Amino acid sequence: MTAPAGRRSGRRVLSWLLALALLGVIGFVVLRDVGGQEPEPPELTVVTGVIGSEKDAFFADQRVRDAFRAHGLELKIDPAGSRQIATTTRLDGYDFAFPSSSPSADKLLAQRPAARTYAPFSSPMAVATFAPIVELLTQAGVVAPGSTTFDVRRYLELAAAGTRWDQLPGNTSFPARKDVLLSTTAPCQSNSAAMYLGIASYVANADGVVTDQTVATQVTPSVQPLFRDQGYLPPTTEVLFEDYLSAGMGRVPMALVYEAQYLAEALSPDPVLPADARLLYPSPTIFSRHTLVPLTPAGDRVGELLTTDPQLATLAAQHGFRPTDPRAFAAAFRDRGLPEPPALVDVVEPPSFDTLEGMLSLLGCTP
Amino acid sequence: MKRIAAAATAVLALVAGCGGGETAGAGPIMGPSDAPVTLRVLAGSELLDLEPVLTQAGEATDVRIQLEPIGTLDGAEAVASGAAETDHDAIWFSSNRYLALQPGAQARLGTAIDIMSSPVVLGLRRPVAERLGWVGRPVTWAEIAAAAGARQFTYGMTDPSASNSGFSAVVAVATALVGAGSALTLEQAESTVPALRDFFAAQTLAAGSSGFLQEAFVRRATGADPGTPVDGLINYESVLQGMNAAGTLPEPLELIRPADGVVTGEYPFTVLAAASPEARDAHRRLAEYLRTPDVQREIAERTHRQPAVPGVVPTPSGTAVELPFPAQADVVEALLTSYFDKLRRPSRTIYVLDTSGSMAGDERIGALQRSLAGLAGADPSLTGQFRRFRGREQVTLLPFNTTPESPQTFTVAEENPAPDRQRIADAGAALLPGGDTAIYDSLQAAFRIAEQQSAADPDRFTSIVLMTDGENTSGADIAAFRAFVGSRPAVPVFCVLFGESSVEEMEEVARLTGGRTFDARTAPLAEVFKEIRGYV
């Protein structure tokens, strides 16, 4: 910040001229030497996207970057909460938005009509926890002995009674004076919490998807404490999952995450899952269908590649997502010598965006 | 933004190596998007310890970062009002939790990326921890509160309306002692269970910033400052470990991590929604760099904070319980109000106010009168609300010119404090300028008042605020004061630099008494009076 602006820009022009001249010479030499034998690397188009944070690691993977580069695309990614993407994020300047659920994508589509959307992979909601907690939950009847099924109805009963961990019978492994509560993200901002709202409201509604505002108004008060009693909640699922991984049981005894986040760690060449980490499946659960909404032709190209390129499907599976083609998912586990995660049968649909918004506004979220 | 500029006592600019765009021929040619960018960041003051890491980051990423330190609550107010985004690109505090409670603030925030974390815990001088039997076994906040109530130890903590570490401590202690298994409710936040009063009764050192708190603690521990050494500090675990590592304390601090739970700062590096695409890109580049495993390890080694990226260092023991943090603005406000007006050890402040002839005019005596009125309740801002005169507080106004005038003392009622505050504002409004400037005669008078008041009612924080706009022209001089203060019980004097006051002498008064100076020559006097409230 010392050189006067005039001199500075003069020098810069000179730099650029010199650089261009140098590039010209190099280009001439390269072309003369290899003339025609190798195709020129395609010029990279920079494509920017805003995505649900749980896909951040996938897009940051060098192999994924390379796969897109091979198609001439250089991706720049901002992670954000999915509802934030659908409601508050300024989308000007982005080529695509890639929230984690179809309701959020529907909302985006209403504002930004696109010819088509892409749902290249999905992931069920799951509970990341620890072996001692699984044991306590088994004793409390939330988990059937030896299974990975997390009984949502039984859990909601415990939570509604304000049960604390230190009140669970025979608890010596985690005697915290803290309510038994599944950690979630902030429902006003993040999709995974909204999916949890979908699950909890389904159970509270006598096993029925909430489809209208009248039912939403009846059901929401009983699920509100699940969020309110947790206090401040992390804005994204990525932050929540990182807290689970890096802070241990005391901070996050059990967290509602995307199955993919946990599986990605299990499949990683250097997994950082704690030795006593465990994954449970809520019953019922909801699949989040990661849905890409193109905002420009370049963004559309990203969606198309994610859907059609087999290598990207393989990489998605290695990041724990369930691609539309189940073989890629099975192969990822076979290759690592790990058992394939269960096929889930107790799966329910999320409420529509408008119903979900209705419930969220009852929880105090503003659009 | 004037206030933010004023609060920025130290602006740290970390400059990357020579600009890449100007070095033609050597290295890759950079397009405009990779040109060096300066990211202007409103930040917590404790981040200054990252300076070497950020300098390297600047070289590696071509992103220069300019940290402007500001208190958490002031920062939150600036973001929520939109003032911050006019000249900043990002914020970086130990937590965005307080900010998230401000109406409209969420929409002003872009991507937040956690970089590291540290819980707020209690550090105690080792012999004290041993005497209390707290070494090598789990200790709860309830045990700590019981010992505090029995005055078995003393501690220092930052003002929770100015600094996040104090704020987190209030949340943790209240949540644990109220016995809530979930986030505090409004009724719980308003409650004043005896154990909470016990806990805060042992606080003998307060400060508006964690930097001053640490320094004051060390100076007292080493005898550099008058006053009894304080036994402990509530602060980030990383700060306490850093103090131990620095080796400046006569004896190391034993870290007590309460078994019933802590509140942790997670340092989200957050770009503002209004930032330019270049700034957004720079924020992302810098955050990516800071989260690479090597840099995370270096942060852990240098700053003692836990890395945000899992697996970089061993996971801490699974039993440190994180307490829920209230997510409703009214709960947090009730908690702070209850802390200031009911729980905190009440304070006694003697305002020594220059009313000499040079104070004439609206920008002098007028500013002083408005400052007092602001503290008496006229300032509607969030910070103004928490830093006004508090329930149970004893306030003495000691105006002076050629000689000290007669003092007026007010005790603000715990219930219905407004009429008492109004009386203080009225007394301020009645001040009239004229005469000479007898600084040291007046300060000595203030010390005598403090002694009388302390004898009658010993259990209060006692401090003196000195505001003068000129040099001493009447009565005792600084040498006389130096001799006087050496033989007196310690009372910190917080000096306001204003008009033509002698900086050298004011700094000496602050040093002699364990206080500090505040500069009202470049910031509005009312803001400085408000800032001092964090220390008294």
Side-chain angles (χ1 to χ4, degrees):
Chain A
M1 301 294 111
T2 48
R7 209 175 113 214
R8 187 187 158 93
S9 65
R11 275 172 58 185
R12 175 160 289 178
V13 170
L14 185 62
S15 312
W16 278 100
L17 287 176
L18 282 172
L20 282 175
L22 186 65
L23 276 177
V25 171
I26 295 173
F28 174 74
V29 172
V30 169
L31 282 177
R32 190 194 57 192
D33 287 357
V34 299
Q37 287 165 13
E38 280 208 37
E40 262 190 273
E43 183 139 333
L44 288 178
T45 308
V46 173
V47 193
T48 55
V50 57
I51 63 165
S53 64
E54 65 293 324
K55 293 183 288 290
D56 204 22
F58 171 72
F59 281 104
D61 186 330
Q62 192 58 45
R63 296 170 300 169
V64 173
R65 289 184 178 187
D66 289 346
F68 279 107
R69 274 205 193 102
H71 292 286
L73 302 182
E74 171 83 31
L75 263 51
K76 291 208 166 177
I77 298 300
D78 280 336
S82 291
R83 182 165 183 269
Q84 206 180 344
I85 296 174
T87 55
T88 59
T89 303
R90 296 173 197 192
L91 291 173
D92 300 318
Y94 285 115
D95 294 304
F96 65 90
F98 198 2
S100 320
S101 73
S102 39
S104 291
D106 290 345
K107 164 73 173 171
L108 275 173
L109 271 178
Q111 303 160 334
R112 300 275 192 147
R116 53 180 299 196
T117 58
Y118 301 88
F121 42 73
S122 60
S123 190
M125 304 315 302
V127 176
T129 184
F130 300 89
I133 301 291
V134 174
E135 218 166 280
L136 291 172
L137 292 176
T138 305
Q139 281 164 26
V142 176
V143 175
S147 82
T148 57
T149 306
F150 179 97
D151 184 335
V152 177
R153 176 171 299 280
R154 174 73 187 123
Y155 159 70
L156 293 182
E157 284 167 12
L158 277 187
T163 314
R164 285 194 327 236
W165 287 105
D166 63 359
Q167 292 168 339
L168 291 182
N171 176 6
T172 51
S173 52
F174 189 65
R177 288 173 55 86
K178 206 160 85 156
D179 288 2
V180 176
L181 278 175
L182 188 50
S183 298
T184 67
T185 48
C188 299
Q189 289 163 269
S190 154
N191 179 65
S192 65
M195 296 297 101
Y196 179 47
L197 182 59
I199 295 171
S201 63
Y202 176 92
V203 176
N205 186 34
D207 292 348
V209 178
V210 176
T211 51
D212 64 66
Q213 199 51 34
T214 315
V215 179
T217 309
Q218 289 162 3
V219 164
T220 309
S222 71
V223 294
Q224 177 161 38
L226 301 174
F227 299 102
R228 186 200 57 208
D229 290 353
Q230 291 183 68
Y232 178 84
L233 299 172
T236 70
T237 320
E238 193 55 28
V239 171
L240 174 64
F241 188 60
E242 254 184 21
D243 282 352
Y244 161 77
L245 287 177
S246 62
M249 193 158 77
R251 180 123 168 227
V252 184
M254 50 180 187
L256 188 84
V257 299
Y258 297 99
E259 178 201 41
Q261 293 175 292
Y262 188 97
L263 297 185
E265 273 313 317
L267 290 167
S268 137
D270 45 354
V272 295
L273 282 179
D276 58 353
R278 296 291 182 272
L279 191 65
L280 301 174
Y281 291 92
S283 174
T285 190
I286 286 182
F287 268 82
S288 81
R289 281 163 60 80
H290 298 269
T291 307
L292 186 146
V293 179
L295 304 170
T296 67
D300 190 78
R301 180 92 178 108
V302 172
E304 196 189 319
L305 286 171
L306 282 169
T307 315
T308 56
D309 186 311
Q311 198 197 347
L312 283 170
T314 300
L315 289 168
Q318 287 172 5
H319 278 273
F321 297 106
R322 301 185 182 218
T324 37
D325 179 357
R327 284 170 302 179
F329 189 62
F333 289 86
R334 201 175 46 238
D335 293 349
R336 292 275 290 121
L338 294 170
E340 190 182 341
L344 301 172
V345 285
D346 193 4
V347 177
V348 298
E349 284 302 308
S352 73
F353 184 82
D354 287 340
T355 309
L356 214 41
E357 279 297 299
M359 285 196 273
L360 290 172
S361 74
L362 290 170
L363 292 181
C365 306
T366 47
Chain B
M1 289 314 289
K2 264 186 192 153
R3 178 149 41 81
I4 291 181
T9 48
V11 174
L12 173 70
L14 298 161
V15 180
C18 59
E22 291 177 278
T23 50
I29 311 296
M30 294 192 199
S33 71
D34 288 332
V37 183
T38 298
L39 215 51
R40 301 157 305 169
V41 184
L42 213 46
S45 58
E46 74 271 25
L47 282 177
L48 294 175
D49 67 3
L50 274 180
E51 182 180 347
V53 175
L54 294 176
T55 305
Q56 286 169 26
E59 283 158 14
T61 61
D62 261 338
V63 180
R64 304 164 190 186
I65 179 165
Q66 191 176 303
L67 296 180
E68 193 180 303
I70 185 171
T72 309
L73 216 72
D74 286 311
E77 216 172 307
V79 172
S81 71
E85 64 197 38
T86 62
D87 49 10
H88 292 87
D89 308 300
I91 57 168
W92 198 0
F93 293 102
S94 52
S95 164
N96 283 354
R97 282 174 231 170
Y98 188 83
L99 179 60
L101 300 179
Q102 300 310 307
Q106 201 62 52
R108 297 193 189 274
L109 300 180
T111 304
I113 304 178
D114 289 357
I115 304 295
M116 53 203 181
S117 69
S118 196
V120 173
V121 303
L122 170 67
L124 272 185
R125 291 163 51 213
R126 185 158 291 160
V128 178
E130 278 163 1
R131 165 161 60 74
L132 291 163
W134 290 351
V135 181
R137 72 168 181 92
V139 182
T140 62
W141 285 117
E143 284 177 85
I144 297 172
R151 299 294 200 280
Q152 290 173 337
F153 73 100
T154 60
Y155 67 89
M157 183 182 102
T158 57
D159 182 308
S161 79
S163 150
N164 190 66
S165 62
F167 182 45
S168 300
V170 171
V171 169
V173 172
T175 307
L177 293 184
V178 163
S182 54
L184 284 178
T185 63
L186 188 58
E187 296 69 40
Q188 289 168 332
E190 284 168 341
S191 77
T192 49
V193 293
L196 271 173
R197 260 197 184 175
D198 280 354
F199 180 84
F200 290 113
Q203 185 190 354
T204 57
L205 187 62
S209 81
S210 97
F212 179 83
L213 183 72
Q214 264 181 77
E215 283 164 30
F217 181 86
V218 173
R219 284 198 312 262
R220 286 220 205 160
T222 54
D225 257 9
T228 330
V230 183
D231 293 331
L233 271 186
I234 292 183
N235 215 321
Y236 298 105
E237 180 185 74
S238 56
V239 169
L240 301 171
Q241 285 174 336
M243 291 171 75
N244 278 349
T248 40
L249 291 170
E251 57 219 347
L253 293 169
E254 186 72 26
L255 269 57
I256 315 284
R257 300 173 180 85
D260 37 2
V262 292
V263 169
T264 301
E266 71 284 20
Y267 293 92
F269 182 29
T270 310
V271 73
L272 294 174
S276 68
E278 292 74 31
R280 221 167 57 196
D281 185 59
H283 166 261
R284 170 174 46 212
R285 266 151 61 201
L286 190 58
E288 269 174 21
Y289 171 84
L290 292 172
R291 286 173 54 94
T292 52
D294 285 348
V295 178
Q296 288 273 294
R297 251 186 300 275
E298 194 181 346
I299 288 173
E301 277 160 26
R302 273 184 190 281
T303 72
H304 308 282
R305 298 191 191 95
Q306 186 73 19
V309 173
V312 167
V313 303
T315 306
S317 107
T319 51
V321 173
E322 181 76 12
L323 289 165
F325 197 94
Q328 289 165 273
D330 55 350
V331 173
V332 166
E333 274 161 33
L335 194 56
L336 284 176
T337 303
S338 157
Y339 168 79
F340 284 122
D341 288 352
K342 296 176 174 167
L343 300 175
R344 181 187 191 262
R345 198 165 153 237
S347 60
R348 159 185 299 125
T349 318
I350 300 163
Y351 286 87
V352 184
L353 304 172
D354 187 344
T355 58
S356 63
S358 63
M359 280 292 288
D362 182 62
E363 75 284 6
R364 300 234 164 153
I365 195 80
L368 175 60
Q369 287 164 339
R370 285 190 295 276
S371 302
L372 288 170
L375 297 185
D379 180 346
S381 72
L382 198 60
T383 44
Q385 185 190 329
F386 292 124
R387 291 185 211 159
R388 61 194 179 189
F389 296 121
R390 295 153 185 155
R392 304 173 300 143
E393 180 169 2
Q394 193 176 61
V395 176
T396 299
L397 301 185
L398 178 62
F400 72 92
N401 43 62
T402 311
T403 57
E405 296 182 6
S406 52
Q408 285 176 275
T409 296
F410 309 85
T411 302
V412 182
E414 181 172 340
E415 308 293 338
N416 193 22
D420 292 321
R421 290 196 186 114
Q422 189 55 49
R423 297 219 311 275
I424 302 175
D426 292 345
L431 295 175
L432 283 175
D436 286 337
T437 312
I439 296 175
Y440 299 104
D441 278 355
S442 308
L443 262 188
Q444 290 177 17
F447 268 80
R448 288 190 193 98
I449 293 168
E451 275 162 39
Q452 283 165 11
Q453 292 180 341
S454 294
D457 175 9
D459 197 23
R460 285 176 179 269
F461 273 107
T462 303
S463 35
I464 294 171
V465 174
L466 170 64
M467 201 275 332
T468 172
D469 75 333
E471 299 201 3
N472 189 51
T473 56
S474 170
D477 62 7
I478 180 94
F481 178 72
R482 212 179 283 136
F484 168 87
V485 85
S487 62
R488 295 279 160 169
V491 181
V493 180
F494 298 101
C495 308
V496 181
L497 304 176
F498 190 56
E500 296 79 42
S501 60
S502 163
V503 178
E504 218 169 278
E505 288 193 12
M506 292 300 100
E507 281 176 352
E508 182 172 358
V509 169
R511 201 170 46 244
L512 287 170
T513 59
R516 60 164 280 195
T517 61
F518 294 82
D519 200 340
R521 295 165 305 175
T522 51
L525 188 64
E527 292 303 321
V528 172
F529 264 73
K530 203 156 89 174
E531 192 188 351
I532 293 177
R533 299 288 300 160
Y535 295 78
V536 301

